[in-house]
Amino acid sequence: SYDLTQPPSVSVSPGQTARITCSGDALSQQYAYWYHQKPGQAPILVIYKDTKRPSGIPERFSGSSSGTTVTLTISGVQAEDEADYYCQLADSSGTYRVFGGGTKLTV
Amino acid sequence: EVELLESGGGLVQPGGSLRLSCAASGFTFSSYAMSWVRQAPGKGLEWVSSISGSGGRTYYADSVKGRFTISRDNSKKTLYVQMNSLRAEDTAVYYCAKDFGDYGDSYPNYSMDVWGQGTTVTVSS
């Protein structure tokens, strides 16, 4: 199954650490990718291959993986981090991709 | 600067057709797979389709298979999706996205690292 489950919402105060989880059986075998999206804007890739950060993404964004759950961690959350966050995976050949339902981060 | 600019969205009746385009600039277009992702009003992201850099491999979500056709013209640095037999549930903002790499890469990366601003498709009578 390629279903991905995310909590609908996470709320943190500025300066705290936010953790957003994504669960799914396929995550034990496939990489996860993370995006954030602010209202009216296109998504932005923040983590790829579970833990890697694209150039230009602040160091406060990090990813981890354990079994069938991956976690996006935002350390020292800032007001500008308030957005919807989506996890995504693909099958081993990239022939099928799926997004999680998204998590609204409120700061 | 890497840029993607979608066009072609609009209002179409159920059962109708529409072709979306995505003009790319700032990178070697033919070296990267490209994808379409959509977002229905107030909903999450849904992967629609992907195509390899050469255009030889195409993949579709079950929800659009048989109705949508993805293609690309590398000489024009443009990505397309032909949408036929449109349904109300196809109403969404459609984003064009550049893949991190290409199918067949030694170390595949099936994320999408650059996105356009989207074009809106409304299917309604």
Side-chain angles (χ1 to χ4, degrees), chain B residues 37-95:
Chain B
V37 175
R38 68 184 181 184
Q39 187 169 34
K43 302 297 184 182
L45 302 174
E46 180 187 13
W47 171 73
V48 172
S49 182
S50 297
I51 186 169
S52 63
S54 68
R57 306 186 205 183
T58 58
Y59 306 102
Y60 300 92
D62 289 344
S63 58
V64 306
K65 199 172 294 182
R67 301 188 299 122
F68 288 16
T69 302
I70 191 172
S71 62
R72 64 192 296 161
D73 185 333
N74 286 343
S75 67
K76 294 183 179 178
K77 298 184 180 180
T78 302
L79 174 72
Y80 305 98
V81 62
Q82 175 68 42
M83 306 185 295
N84 298 331
S85 302
L86 283 162
R87 308 165 179 167
E89 53 265 37
D90 296 318
T91 294
V93 174
Y94 284 73
Y95 293 102

Side-chain angles (χ1 to χ4, degrees), chain A residues 35 37 48-49 88 94 97, chain B residues 39 99 103 108-110 112 116:
Chain A
Y35 305 83
Q37 183 185 32
Y48 66 95
K49 289 190 173 182
Q88 176 238 320
R97 307 183 191 195
Chain B
Q39 187 169 34
D99 274 27
Y103 290 91
N109 182 335
Y110 299 120
M112 292 155 277

Side-chain angles (χ1 to χ4, degrees), chain B residues 3-5 22-30 34 72-80:
Chain B
E3 285 191 330
L4 299 172
L5 183 62
C22 172
S25 60
F27 64 101
T28 305
F29 184 67
S30 60
M34 297 291 293
R72 64 192 296 161
D73 185 333
N74 286 343
S75 67
K76 294 183 179 178
K77 298 184 180 180
T78 302
L79 174 72
Y80 305 98

Side-chain angles (χ1 to χ4, degrees), chain A residues 14-95:
Chain A
Q16 289 188 330
T17 296
R19 293 180 179 84
I20 300 172
T21 59
C22 175
S23 299
D25 291 342
L27 290 171
S28 63
Q29 299 177 327
Q30 308 301 336
Y31 285 119
Y33 310 96
W34 288 96
Y35 305 83
H36 72 188
Q37 183 185 32
K38 297 181 181 180
Q41 297 185 18
I44 294 173
L45 178 68
V46 295
I47 294 289
Y48 66 95
K49 289 190 173 182
D50 291 347
T51 62
K52 301 185 186 302
R53 198 172 48 249
S55 61
I57 299 302
E59 291 184 5
R60 64 180 183 273
F61 289 87
S62 63
S64 61
S65 175
S66 179
T68 59
T69 299
V70 294
T71 302
L72 173 69
T73 300
I74 311 171
S75 305
V77 169
Q78 301 180 5
E80 67 193 49
D81 298 329
E82 187 165 283
D84 293 325
Y85 288 81
Y86 296 91
C87 58
Q88 176 238 320
L89 68 72
D91 67 3
S92 58
S93 301
T95 63

